[in-house]
Structures are given as structure tokens and as C-alpha cells.
Amino acid sequence: MVRQEVYALLCVYQAIRHLIATAAENARIDPDRISFTRAVQAVRRHVSDEAALSPLRAV
């Protein structure tokens, strides 16, 4: 179980780093200038916002 959790954390870390690299490339800046902590906060806001929405029911 611990192994799966560590693997999941590493996957999330890599996904956030990929987002940072993509954002930096689009903005034409060095990826090291983008804060990892701020990126994590942005991801958390986005994920929690999406989870708060309930799916539409088919009528």
C-alpha cells in the first residue's frame, strides 16, 4: 500500500512539473521561474472546483 502511495505522489509530481514546463514554454520563460508551490495551489483549486460540480442528470 505504501509503495502505491509513493508511486502516486511521484506521478503527480511529474504531472505538475510537466504543466510547469508547458506553461513556461508558452510564456517563453525559464521553467525555474515558476513556483512549484503556486502550481500545486493552482492545481488544487482547479481539482476541488471541478469536484464541487455535480453531473447533470438525464431527463
Side-chain angles (χ1 to χ4, degrees):
M1 187 66 141
V2 173
R3 185 180 294 169
Q4 286 179 334
E5 290 178 13
V6 170
Y7 185 73
L9 288 173
L10 290 173
C11 288
V12 170
Y13 173 83
Q14 288 299 321
I16 292 172
R17 281 292 177 195
H18 179 73
L19 288 171
I20 290 172
T22 303
E25 184 178 328
N26 290 339
R28 298 180 184 208
I29 61 172
D30 184 16
D32 292 333
R33 294 190 48 143
I34 299 176
S35 167
F36 183 80
T37 304
R38 299 279 306 260
V40 169
Q41 292 169 351
V43 169
R44 280 185 174 171
R45 278 193 311 271
H46 181 72
V47 169
S48 64
D49 289 347
E50 295 296 323
L53 298 175
S54 61
L56 297 174
R57 293 187 321 177
V59 180

